[in-house]
Amino acid sequence: MRYDFDKVYDRKAYLASKWCVEQVFGREGVLPLWVADMDFRVAEPILTVLRERLEHPIFGYTMVSEGFYDSVIRRLESKYGWKVEKEWMVITPGVMPAVNAAVCAFTEPGDRVVLQSPVYPPFWSAISDNKRELAVNPLKLADNRFELDLDDFKNRFERDGAKAFILCNPHNPGGRVWTKEELTAMGETVIGAGGVVISDEIHCELILKGHSHVPFASISEESAMNSITCFSPSKTFNIPGFHTAVAIIPNEALRQKFNETRGRLMGAPSILALIAAEAAFRHGDEWLEQVLAYIESNIDYAVGYFNKNIPEVIPMRPEATYLIWLDCRNLGMEHDELRSFFLDDARVGLNDGAAFGPEGKGFMRLNAACPRVILEEALVRIEKAVKVLRKR
Ligand SMILES: Cc1ncc(COP(=O)(O)O)c(C=O)c1O
């Protein structure tokens, strides 16, 4: 079927976090292009299985079906040639719960854990809230693209003795799809130092043209045996409100440690989430193909618009995700001023770049997964505000 991603839904009436701007930003009239969910309806096969399930009026605790495991196994093999076994999988109520549990299970309080700044804000708290030490490997900005600083990365492990690395593969907020060479270099460093890679691959199916995702664990037997991969249908199929992910841990000893922590902290899987996820994995590709084409055209539109009409703001073209990292440093503002400029002058709700780490100061993140009219309106608002600024 043909999906209409131009359709605007009233999400606020259903308390979508993204649209409850008064609570989030403390202001009315702000157009929201922030948190990573899409303003698009989900794939029809997801709705069909949910409707069918709702016909049965009892929603008790659930077992995980063979069909669910099988759908994940088939998907990872067909997309990436990665052969995963059922026993390696642990269902968690989301990727961040899995990342937090992995930090607790594979490191000790006081251990150093590496992240690559700027990065998804909850990575920072997954380290510091669990009383581990932050070991930061800043990404390098080269030609408006993030690159790995391998020498610095090696120092974090070989010199500073870090014990684990939270990898964002693909990268949020920069949309980098890490290459096999980059992943191999990072893996050799971490594993050579006796550490574990916690690979968050939540955005791995939102890959844009010309790029391909490599699961970290698929690189070699060593990378598989020294890592946990967090995989989820939530970003790909726009069902993050279902809070479900799969932690894939080929190493039995690591899996046992993970399960001890998981069992203490997390409950059983959500019945509707598993059903929705399986339908998405098995029958969601027609929708996914169309949504990726729509996202890609929105990104082209936004990047072109900034370049032509708002050259003070430099968009980073993502290789994956629907997120655009905006370099706003040429607006010449202190970061607090910048945040207020977007909220109060432009009246658009973006993600604050500084929340992704000190390297994010002077940057904002825009979510382009919305109907084109919303994106157009946001860009016009930003342009108008910049025009006023130019006259000052
Ligand atoms: C890189 C990354 N990891 C994890 C999450 C959140 O995952 P979950 O809601 O499954 O905890 C997000 C959401 O934006 C994300 O961008």
Side-chain angles (χ1 to χ4, degrees):
M1 79 183 258
R2 191 86 220 142
Y3 290 96
D4 176 13
F5 299 120
D6 284 326
K7 185 171 162 57
V8 177
Y9 289 88
D10 178 1
R11 299 190 61 200
K12 195 174 172 186
Y14 291 84
L15 292 180
S17 309
K18 189 179 188 179
W19 283 86
C20 292
V21 291
E22 291 83 3
Q23 279 125 294
V24 177
F25 296 111
R27 284 132 171 112
E28 285 183 9
V30 169
L31 197 60
L33 292 91
W34 65 289
V35 67
D37 76 23
M38 314 191 206
D39 291 324
F40 304 137
R41 60 160 291 162
V42 301
E44 193 59 27
I46 297 178
L47 297 175
T48 304
V49 288
L50 289 174
R51 284 188 196 110
E52 279 169 15
R53 181 57 187 83
L54 293 178
E55 288 302 312
H56 189 275
I58 303 175
F59 303 98
Y61 296 116
T62 186
M63 302 299 277
V64 182
S65 70
E66 288 299 319
F68 175 83
Y69 289 118
D70 178 66
S71 70
V72 177
I73 291 170
R74 281 171 190 264
R75 194 150 188 96
L76 294 174
E77 180 158 18
S78 70
K79 294 249 159 177
Y80 316 111
W82 181 28
K83 288 191 170 61
V84 162
E85 292 176 19
K86 179 188 156 193
E87 288 65 37
W88 302 352
M89 288 188 241
V90 182
I91 315 297
T92 65
V95 162
M96 282 320 297
V99 169
N100 274 277
V103 167
C104 293
F106 305 149
T107 66
E108 297 295 327
D111 281 351
R112 291 198 168 96
V113 179
V114 176
L115 54 67
Q116 295 177 309
S117 179
V119 78
Y120 182 56
F123 280 22
W124 294 80
S125 42
I127 299 172
S128 51
D129 288 357
N130 290 310
K131 310 284 181 265
R132 273 66 176 169
E133 289 290 317
L134 281 161
V136 181
N137 168 231
L139 293 171
K140 290 194 287 197
L141 248 187
D143 291 334
N144 197 26
R145 181 172 186 260
F146 282 121
E147 284 187 3
L148 164 68
D149 183 343
L150 186 60
D151 289 336
D152 180 83
F153 188 78
K154 285 184 175 166
N155 279 339
R156 302 283 79 80
F157 286 90
E158 291 162 12
R159 198 189 64 197
D160 301 344
K163 294 286 192 288
F165 167 42
I166 312 182
L167 166 66
C168 199
N169 179 34
H171 181 252
N172 169 13
R176 266 304 312 279
V177 176
W178 300 112
T179 62
K180 190 169 181 184
E181 290 67 35
E182 289 167 317
L183 294 169
T184 303
M186 292 190 265
E188 281 174 0
T189 304
V190 180
I191 297 164
V196 176
V197 175
I198 301 166
S199 190
D200 175 341
E201 307 200 0
I202 196 168
H203 294 283
C204 72
E205 296 209 56
L206 296 171
I207 304 293
L208 303 173
K209 280 197 200 90
H211 301 278
S212 35
H213 172 73
V214 179
F216 174 78
S218 72
I219 294 175
S220 65
E221 178 68 11
E222 274 218 303
S223 63
M225 294 307 280
N226 293 282
S227 66
I228 165 174
T229 301
C230 304
F231 177 66
S232 168
S234 69
K235 300 289 156 182
T236 312
F237 294 104
N238 202 27
I239 49 173
F242 275 130
H243 295 288
T244 281
V246 184
I248 303 167
I249 315 169
N251 181 322
E252 198 184 336
L254 289 182
R255 195 165 60 246
Q256 206 173 329
K257 280 191 187 175
F258 180 86
N259 268 330
E260 282 161 15
T261 310
R262 191 204 62 83
R264 244 186 320 114
L265 302 175
M266 299 168 205
S270 148
I271 188 167
L272 294 180
L274 290 177
I275 292 168
E278 182 179 343
F281 288 145
R282 287 193 192 282
H283 309 296
D285 279 335
E286 184 190 42
W287 178 91
L288 182 57
E289 219 172 275
Q290 292 177 39
V291 90
L292 281 173
Y294 194 92
I295 288 168
E296 188 118 28
S297 80
N298 268 4
I299 289 170
D300 286 342
Y301 180 79
V303 169
Y305 197 97
F306 278 113
N307 291 344
K308 181 161 173 258
N309 304 306
I310 323 171
E312 293 90 339
V313 176
I314 304 168
M316 181 180 280
R317 215 201 133 77
E319 300 167 351
T321 79
Y322 39 72
L323 307 167
I324 309 178
W325 189 235
L326 302 175
D327 183 346
C328 307
R329 290 174 297 177
N330 288 338
L331 291 173
M333 295 178 191
E334 290 298 322
H335 194 78
D336 285 349
E337 229 183 312
L338 184 68
R339 203 168 30 210
S340 137
F341 169 77
F342 278 100
L343 277 178
D344 299 319
D345 300 352
R347 290 180 303 115
V348 291
L350 308 183
N351 280 89
D352 175 6
F356 294 76
E359 287 73 16
K361 276 198 177 149
F363 293 79
M364 302 293 283
R365 194 192 72 177
L366 181 150
N367 175 349
C370 56
R372 178 65 65 83
V373 283
I374 294 178
L375 182 62
E376 283 171 355
E377 169 69 17
L379 293 168
V380 166
R381 288 186 185 196
I382 297 170
E383 185 187 5
K384 276 191 189 152
V386 170
K387 276 186 178 157
V388 173
L389 201 64
R390 285 182 197 137
K391 289 192 192 129
R392 274 194 213 151

PDB file of all heavy atoms in Angstrom, residues 17-18 26 61 66 108 116 124 137 140 170 172 184 201 211 228 250-251 268 293 303 307 313 339 356 361 365 369 372:
ATOM      1  N   SER A  17       4.856  13.153  23.868  1.00  0.00           N
ATOM      2  CA  SER A  17       5.852  14.000  24.549  1.00  0.00           C
ATOM      3  C   SER A  17       6.351  15.097  23.611  1.00  0.00           C
ATOM      4  O   SER A  17       6.541  16.243  24.012  1.00  0.00           O
ATOM      5  CB  SER A  17       7.071  13.176  24.965  1.00  0.00           C
ATOM      6  OG  SER A  17       6.688  12.048  25.660  1.00  0.00           O
ATOM      7  N   LYS A  18       6.574  14.688  22.365  1.00  0.00           N
ATOM      8  CA  LYS A  18       7.131  15.631  21.387  1.00  0.00           C
ATOM      9  C   LYS A  18       6.275  16.898  21.261  1.00  0.00           C
ATOM     10  O   LYS A  18       6.800  17.990  21.079  1.00  0.00           O
ATOM     11  CB  LYS A  18       7.201  14.912  20.039  1.00  0.00           C
ATOM     12  CG  LYS A  18       7.946  15.651  18.951  1.00  0.00           C
ATOM     13  CD  LYS A  18       7.942  14.780  17.689  1.00  0.00           C
ATOM     14  CE  LYS A  18       8.808  15.309  16.595  1.00  0.00           C
ATOM     15  NZ  LYS A  18       8.762  14.391  15.425  1.00  0.00           N
ATOM     16  N   GLY A  26       8.343  24.938  28.336  1.00  0.00           N
ATOM     17  CA  GLY A  26       7.828  26.037  29.148  1.00  0.00           C
ATOM     18  C   GLY A  26       7.300  27.191  28.314  1.00  0.00           C
ATOM     19  O   GLY A  26       7.218  28.322  28.795  1.00  0.00           O
ATOM     20  N   TYR A  61       0.617 -11.388  31.907  1.00  0.00           N
ATOM     21  CA  TYR A  61       2.043 -11.510  31.577  1.00  0.00           C
ATOM     22  C   TYR A  61       2.200 -12.460  30.399  1.00  0.00           C
ATOM     23  O   TYR A  61       1.401 -13.373  30.210  1.00  0.00           O
ATOM     24  CB  TYR A  61       2.827 -12.041  32.777  1.00  0.00           C
ATOM     25  CG  TYR A  61       2.790 -11.096  33.960  1.00  0.00           C
ATOM     26  CD1 TYR A  61       2.181 -11.467  35.155  1.00  0.00           C
ATOM     27  CD2 TYR A  61       3.353  -9.834  33.870  1.00  0.00           C
ATOM     28  CE1 TYR A  61       2.137 -10.594  36.235  1.00  0.00           C
ATOM     29  CE2 TYR A  61       3.326  -8.951  34.940  1.00  0.00           C
ATOM     30  CZ  TYR A  61       2.714  -9.336  36.121  1.00  0.00           C
ATOM     31  OH  TYR A  61       2.678  -8.483  37.180  1.00  0.00           O
ATOM     32  N   GLU A  66       8.253 -18.098  19.973  1.00  0.00           N
ATOM     33  CA  GLU A  66       9.314 -18.565  19.062  1.00  0.00           C
ATOM     34  C   GLU A  66       9.341 -17.661  17.831  1.00  0.00           C
ATOM     35  O   GLU A  66      10.379 -17.363  17.272  1.00  0.00           O
ATOM     36  CB  GLU A  66       9.039 -20.012  18.628  1.00  0.00           C
ATOM     37  CG  GLU A  66       9.267 -21.035  19.718  1.00  0.00           C
ATOM     38  CD  GLU A  66      10.705 -21.055  20.213  1.00  0.00           C
ATOM     39  OE1 GLU A  66      11.620 -20.951  19.385  1.00  0.00           O
ATOM     40  OE2 GLU A  66      10.899 -21.161  21.447  1.00  0.00           O
ATOM     41  N   GLU A 108      32.790  -2.183  37.253  1.00  0.00           N
ATOM     42  CA  GLU A 108      32.631  -1.973  38.700  1.00  0.00           C
ATOM     43  C   GLU A 108      32.514  -0.478  38.969  1.00  0.00           C
ATOM     44  O   GLU A 108      33.023   0.325  38.177  1.00  0.00           O
ATOM     45  CB  GLU A 108      33.881  -2.490  39.434  1.00  0.00           C
ATOM     46  CG  GLU A 108      34.134  -3.977  39.298  1.00  0.00           C
ATOM     47  CD  GLU A 108      33.038  -4.804  39.956  1.00  0.00           C
ATOM     48  OE1 GLU A 108      32.481  -4.342  40.966  1.00  0.00           O
ATOM     49  OE2 GLU A 108      32.726  -5.891  39.430  1.00  0.00           O
ATOM     50  N   GLN A 116      31.769   8.791  23.103  1.00  0.00           N
ATOM     51  CA  GLN A 116      32.327   9.689  22.100  1.00  0.00           C
ATOM     52  C   GLN A 116      31.453  10.926  21.988  1.00  0.00           C
ATOM     53  O   GLN A 116      30.377  10.887  21.428  1.00  0.00           O
ATOM     54  CB  GLN A 116      32.415   8.955  20.763  1.00  0.00           C
ATOM     55  CG  GLN A 116      33.403   7.804  20.843  1.00  0.00           C
ATOM     56  CD  GLN A 116      33.487   6.994  19.570  1.00  0.00           C
ATOM     57  OE1 GLN A 116      32.458   6.569  19.044  1.00  0.00           O
ATOM     58  NE2 GLN A 116      34.693   6.769  19.097  1.00  0.00           N
ATOM     59  N   TRP A 124      25.702   9.664  28.868  1.00  0.00           N
ATOM     60  CA  TRP A 124      26.479  10.307  29.931  1.00  0.00           C
ATOM     61  C   TRP A 124      25.971   9.847  31.295  1.00  0.00           C
ATOM     62  O   TRP A 124      26.759   9.469  32.162  1.00  0.00           O
ATOM     63  CB  TRP A 124      26.365  11.843  29.825  1.00  0.00           C
ATOM     64  CG  TRP A 124      26.985  12.411  28.581  1.00  0.00           C
ATOM     65  CD1 TRP A 124      26.421  12.439  27.334  1.00  0.00           C
ATOM     66  CD2 TRP A 124      28.283  12.992  28.453  1.00  0.00           C
ATOM     67  NE1 TRP A 124      27.293  13.017  26.443  1.00  0.00           N
ATOM     68  CE2 TRP A 124      28.442  13.377  27.093  1.00  0.00           C
ATOM     69  CE3 TRP A 124      29.334  13.254  29.330  1.00  0.00           C
ATOM     70  CZ2 TRP A 124      29.595  13.986  26.605  1.00  0.00           C
ATOM     71  CZ3 TRP A 124      30.483  13.865  28.850  1.00  0.00           C
ATOM     72  CH2 TRP A 124      30.612  14.222  27.503  1.00  0.00           C
ATOM     73  N   ASN A 137      36.019  10.492  24.660  1.00  0.00           N
ATOM     74  CA  ASN A 137      36.802  10.503  23.419  1.00  0.00           C
ATOM     75  C   ASN A 137      36.050  11.443  22.448  1.00  0.00           C
ATOM     76  O   ASN A 137      35.136  11.012  21.759  1.00  0.00           O
ATOM     77  CB  ASN A 137      36.870   9.066  22.853  1.00  0.00           C
ATOM     78  CG  ASN A 137      37.398   9.004  21.432  1.00  0.00           C
ATOM     79  OD1 ASN A 137      36.801   8.395  20.551  1.00  0.00           O
ATOM     80  ND2 ASN A 137      38.523   9.621  21.189  1.00  0.00           N
ATOM     81  N   LYS A 140      36.106  14.120  16.109  1.00  0.00           N
ATOM     82  CA  LYS A 140      36.702  15.249  15.380  1.00  0.00           C
ATOM     83  C   LYS A 140      35.714  15.709  14.312  1.00  0.00           C
ATOM     84  O   LYS A 140      35.084  14.882  13.652  1.00  0.00           O
ATOM     85  CB  LYS A 140      37.995  14.803  14.688  1.00  0.00           C
ATOM     86  CG  LYS A 140      39.121  14.530  15.656  1.00  0.00           C
ATOM     87  CD  LYS A 140      40.444  14.438  14.940  1.00  0.00           C
ATOM     88  CE  LYS A 140      40.568  13.137  14.147  1.00  0.00           C
ATOM     89  NZ  LYS A 140      41.941  12.803  13.755  1.00  0.00           N
ATOM     90  N   PRO A 170      24.497   3.381  14.258  1.00  0.00           N
ATOM     91  CA  PRO A 170      25.042   4.666  13.820  1.00  0.00           C
ATOM     92  C   PRO A 170      24.959   5.741  14.909  1.00  0.00           C
ATOM     93  O   PRO A 170      24.255   5.579  15.895  1.00  0.00           O
ATOM     94  CB  PRO A 170      24.134   5.050  12.651  1.00  0.00           C
ATOM     95  CG  PRO A 170      23.301   3.875  12.342  1.00  0.00           C
ATOM     96  CD  PRO A 170      23.272   3.027  13.548  1.00  0.00           C
ATOM     97  N   ASN A 172      24.253   9.091  16.919  1.00  0.00           N
ATOM     98  CA  ASN A 172      23.306  10.162  17.214  1.00  0.00           C
ATOM     99  C   ASN A 172      24.048  11.135  18.120  1.00  0.00           C
ATOM    100  O   ASN A 172      24.528  10.699  19.175  1.00  0.00           O
ATOM    101  CB  ASN A 172      22.084   9.573  17.935  1.00  0.00           C
ATOM    102  CG  ASN A 172      21.167  10.628  18.518  1.00  0.00           C
ATOM    103  OD1 ASN A 172      21.286  11.797  18.214  1.00  0.00           O
ATOM    104  ND2 ASN A 172      20.248  10.197  19.376  1.00  0.00           N
ATOM    105  N   THR A 184      36.432  -1.848  13.359  1.00  0.00           N
ATOM    106  CA  THR A 184      37.501  -2.810  13.635  1.00  0.00           C
ATOM    107  C   THR A 184      38.575  -2.167  14.514  1.00  0.00           C
ATOM    108  O   THR A 184      39.031  -2.757  15.506  1.00  0.00           O
ATOM    109  CB  THR A 184      38.118  -3.317  12.318  1.00  0.00           C
ATOM    110  OG1 THR A 184      37.068  -3.885  11.530  1.00  0.00           O
ATOM    111  CG2 THR A 184      39.204  -4.363  12.554  1.00  0.00           C
ATOM    112  N   GLU A 201      22.628   0.003  18.727  1.00  0.00           N
ATOM    113  CA  GLU A 201      22.367   0.013  17.282  1.00  0.00           C
ATOM    114  C   GLU A 201      20.898   0.328  16.992  1.00  0.00           C
ATOM    115  O   GLU A 201      20.326  -0.146  16.006  1.00  0.00           O
ATOM    116  CB  GLU A 201      22.865  -1.311  16.672  1.00  0.00           C
ATOM    117  CG  GLU A 201      24.320  -1.546  17.074  1.00  0.00           C
ATOM    118  CD  GLU A 201      25.135  -2.512  16.234  1.00  0.00           C
ATOM    119  OE1 GLU A 201      24.610  -3.072  15.277  1.00  0.00           O
ATOM    120  OE2 GLU A 201      26.337  -2.688  16.570  1.00  0.00           O
ATOM    121  N   HIS A 211      24.974   4.231   1.996  1.00  0.00           N
ATOM    122  CA  HIS A 211      25.662   3.772   3.214  1.00  0.00           C
ATOM    123  C   HIS A 211      25.129   2.407   3.616  1.00  0.00           C
ATOM    124  O   HIS A 211      23.999   2.056   3.282  1.00  0.00           O
ATOM    125  CB  HIS A 211      25.442   4.778   4.345  1.00  0.00           C
ATOM    126  CG  HIS A 211      25.955   6.131   3.982  1.00  0.00           C
ATOM    127  ND1 HIS A 211      27.277   6.484   4.087  1.00  0.00           N
ATOM    128  CD2 HIS A 211      25.319   7.192   3.429  1.00  0.00           C
ATOM    129  CE1 HIS A 211      27.434   7.715   3.636  1.00  0.00           C
ATOM    130  NE2 HIS A 211      26.268   8.170   3.231  1.00  0.00           N
ATOM    131  N   ILE A 228      27.950  -6.483  23.650  1.00  0.00           N
ATOM    132  CA  ILE A 228      26.491  -6.623  23.715  1.00  0.00           C
ATOM    133  C   ILE A 228      25.961  -5.670  22.650  1.00  0.00           C
ATOM    134  O   ILE A 228      26.440  -4.541  22.524  1.00  0.00           O
ATOM    135  CB  ILE A 228      25.951  -6.264  25.117  1.00  0.00           C
ATOM    136  CG1 ILE A 228      24.414  -6.061  25.077  1.00  0.00           C
ATOM    137  CG2 ILE A 228      26.572  -5.032  25.703  1.00  0.00           C
ATOM    138  CD1 ILE A 228      23.785  -5.851  26.461  1.00  0.00           C
ATOM    139  N   PRO A 250      26.387 -12.855  22.631  1.00  0.00           N
ATOM    140  CA  PRO A 250      26.838 -14.209  22.271  1.00  0.00           C
ATOM    141  C   PRO A 250      27.661 -14.898  23.373  1.00  0.00           C
ATOM    142  O   PRO A 250      27.651 -16.121  23.459  1.00  0.00           O
ATOM    143  CB  PRO A 250      27.694 -13.979  21.013  1.00  0.00           C
ATOM    144  CG  PRO A 250      27.228 -12.654  20.469  1.00  0.00           C
ATOM    145  CD  PRO A 250      26.846 -11.843  21.658  1.00  0.00           C
ATOM    146  N   ASN A 251      28.356 -14.118  24.184  1.00  0.00           N
ATOM    147  CA  ASN A 251      29.225 -14.701  25.207  1.00  0.00           C
ATOM    148  C   ASN A 251      28.390 -15.099  26.436  1.00  0.00           C
ATOM    149  O   ASN A 251      27.772 -14.256  27.094  1.00  0.00           O
ATOM    150  CB  ASN A 251      30.274 -13.648  25.587  1.00  0.00           C
ATOM    151  CG  ASN A 251      31.249 -14.135  26.628  1.00  0.00           C
ATOM    152  OD1 ASN A 251      30.888 -14.852  27.560  1.00  0.00           O
ATOM    153  ND2 ASN A 251      32.487 -13.726  26.493  1.00  0.00           N
ATOM    154  N   ALA A 268       8.953  -8.203  33.133  1.00  0.00           N
ATOM    155  CA  ALA A 268       8.726  -9.041  31.956  1.00  0.00           C
ATOM    156  C   ALA A 268       8.399  -8.160  30.742  1.00  0.00           C
ATOM    157  O   ALA A 268       8.001  -7.013  30.896  1.00  0.00           O
ATOM    158  CB  ALA A 268       7.567  -9.980  32.253  1.00  0.00           C
ATOM    159  N   ALA A 293      12.452   6.987   2.025  1.00  0.00           N
ATOM    160  CA  ALA A 293      12.477   7.892   0.866  1.00  0.00           C
ATOM    161  C   ALA A 293      11.936   9.266   1.272  1.00  0.00           C
ATOM    162  O   ALA A 293      12.474  10.309   0.870  1.00  0.00           O
ATOM    163  CB  ALA A 293      11.653   7.302  -0.275  1.00  0.00           C
ATOM    164  N   VAL A 303      18.470  20.636   4.131  1.00  0.00           N
ATOM    165  CA  VAL A 303      19.875  20.992   3.885  1.00  0.00           C
ATOM    166  C   VAL A 303      19.943  22.075   2.800  1.00  0.00           C
ATOM    167  O   VAL A 303      20.650  23.077   2.946  1.00  0.00           O
ATOM    168  CB  VAL A 303      20.696  19.732   3.492  1.00  0.00           C
ATOM    169  CG1 VAL A 303      22.081  20.104   2.984  1.00  0.00           C
ATOM    170  CG2 VAL A 303      20.812  18.791   4.699  1.00  0.00           C
ATOM    171  N   ASN A 307      21.314  25.946   3.270  1.00  0.00           N
ATOM    172  CA  ASN A 307      22.424  26.417   2.436  1.00  0.00           C
ATOM    173  C   ASN A 307      22.038  27.673   1.648  1.00  0.00           C
ATOM    174  O   ASN A 307      22.826  28.603   1.528  1.00  0.00           O
ATOM    175  CB  ASN A 307      22.886  25.317   1.478  1.00  0.00           C
ATOM    176  CG  ASN A 307      23.571  24.176   2.238  1.00  0.00           C
ATOM    177  OD1 ASN A 307      23.961  24.337   3.397  1.00  0.00           O
ATOM    178  ND2 ASN A 307      23.689  23.020   1.612  1.00  0.00           N
ATOM    179  N   VAL A 313      23.622  29.008   9.403  1.00  0.00           N
ATOM    180  CA  VAL A 313      23.455  27.716  10.078  1.00  0.00           C
ATOM    181  C   VAL A 313      23.896  26.611   9.112  1.00  0.00           C
ATOM    182  O   VAL A 313      23.370  26.510   8.001  1.00  0.00           O
ATOM    183  CB  VAL A 313      21.981  27.507  10.508  1.00  0.00           C
ATOM    184  CG1 VAL A 313      21.787  26.122  11.115  1.00  0.00           C
ATOM    185  CG2 VAL A 313      21.550  28.597  11.497  1.00  0.00           C
ATOM    186  N   ARG A 339      19.930  28.945  22.518  1.00  0.00           N
ATOM    187  CA  ARG A 339      18.764  28.146  22.890  1.00  0.00           C
ATOM    188  C   ARG A 339      17.524  29.024  22.941  1.00  0.00           C
ATOM    189  O   ARG A 339      16.481  28.699  22.405  1.00  0.00           O
ATOM    190  CB  ARG A 339      19.020  27.526  24.264  1.00  0.00           C
ATOM    191  CG  ARG A 339      18.205  26.307  24.510  1.00  0.00           C
ATOM    192  CD  ARG A 339      18.655  25.557  25.720  1.00  0.00           C
ATOM    193  NE  ARG A 339      19.232  26.425  26.745  1.00  0.00           N
ATOM    194  CZ  ARG A 339      20.160  26.067  27.591  1.00  0.00           C
ATOM    195  NH1 ARG A 339      20.661  24.866  27.534  1.00  0.00           N
ATOM    196  NH2 ARG A 339      20.629  26.894  28.502  1.00  0.00           N
ATOM    197  N   PHE A 356      24.315  17.126  24.554  1.00  0.00           N
ATOM    198  CA  PHE A 356      25.032  15.972  23.995  1.00  0.00           C
ATOM    199  C   PHE A 356      26.512  15.974  24.402  1.00  0.00           C
ATOM    200  O   PHE A 356      27.268  15.113  23.978  1.00  0.00           O
ATOM    201  CB  PHE A 356      24.916  15.979  22.465  1.00  0.00           C
ATOM    202  CG  PHE A 356      23.504  15.754  21.965  1.00  0.00           C
ATOM    203  CD1 PHE A 356      22.551  16.759  22.021  1.00  0.00           C
ATOM    204  CD2 PHE A 356      23.120  14.520  21.457  1.00  0.00           C
ATOM    205  CE1 PHE A 356      21.245  16.556  21.578  1.00  0.00           C
ATOM    206  CE2 PHE A 356      21.823  14.299  21.011  1.00  0.00           C
ATOM    207  CZ  PHE A 356      20.881  15.315  21.069  1.00  0.00           C
ATOM    208  N   LYS A 361      28.170  22.487  22.254  1.00  0.00           N
ATOM    209  CA  LYS A 361      27.872  23.917  22.441  1.00  0.00           C
ATOM    210  C   LYS A 361      27.933  24.630  21.103  1.00  0.00           C
ATOM    211  O   LYS A 361      28.888  24.436  20.340  1.00  0.00           O
ATOM    212  CB  LYS A 361      28.884  24.545  23.395  1.00  0.00           C
ATOM    213  CG  LYS A 361      28.514  24.334  24.812  1.00  0.00           C
ATOM    214  CD  LYS A 361      29.231  25.296  25.729  1.00  0.00           C
ATOM    215  CE  LYS A 361      28.740  25.045  27.148  1.00  0.00           C
ATOM    216  NZ  LYS A 361      29.723  25.320  28.149  1.00  0.00           N
ATOM    217  N   ARG A 365      19.972  20.192  17.420  1.00  0.00           N
ATOM    218  CA  ARG A 365      19.613  19.017  16.615  1.00  0.00           C
ATOM    219  C   ARG A 365      18.166  19.121  16.160  1.00  0.00           C
ATOM    220  O   ARG A 365      17.271  19.360  16.971  1.00  0.00           O
ATOM    221  CB  ARG A 365      19.806  17.745  17.441  1.00  0.00           C
ATOM    222  CG  ARG A 365      19.775  16.480  16.590  1.00  0.00           C
ATOM    223  CD  ARG A 365      19.665  15.229  17.437  1.00  0.00           C
ATOM    224  NE  ARG A 365      18.337  15.091  18.011  1.00  0.00           N
ATOM    225  CZ  ARG A 365      17.920  14.067  18.760  1.00  0.00           C
ATOM    226  NH1 ARG A 365      18.757  13.084  19.035  1.00  0.00           N
ATOM    227  NH2 ARG A 365      16.687  14.019  19.248  1.00  0.00           N
ATOM    228  N   ALA A 369      11.811  14.037  10.748  1.00  0.00           N
ATOM    229  CA  ALA A 369      10.796  13.010  10.482  1.00  0.00           C
ATOM    230  C   ALA A 369       9.404  13.556  10.782  1.00  0.00           C
ATOM    231  O   ALA A 369       8.741  13.159  11.754  1.00  0.00           O
ATOM    232  CB  ALA A 369      11.082  11.759  11.300  1.00  0.00           C
ATOM    233  N   ARG A 372       6.088  17.308   5.482  1.00  0.00           N
ATOM    234  CA  ARG A 372       6.859  18.396   4.878  1.00  0.00           C
ATOM    235  C   ARG A 372       6.355  19.778   5.301  1.00  0.00           C
ATOM    236  O   ARG A 372       7.158  20.691   5.524  1.00  0.00           O
ATOM    237  CB  ARG A 372       6.825  18.252   3.343  1.00  0.00           C
ATOM    238  CG  ARG A 372       7.547  19.355   2.584  1.00  0.00           C
ATOM    239  CD  ARG A 372       9.034  19.391   2.835  1.00  0.00           C
ATOM    240  NE  ARG A 372       9.726  18.236   2.355  1.00  0.00           N
ATOM    241  CZ  ARG A 372      10.137  18.051   1.086  1.00  0.00           C
ATOM    242  NH1 ARG A 372       9.927  18.959   0.168  1.00  0.00           N
ATOM    243  NH2 ARG A 372      10.765  16.930   0.752  1.00  0.00           N
TER     244      ARG A 372
END
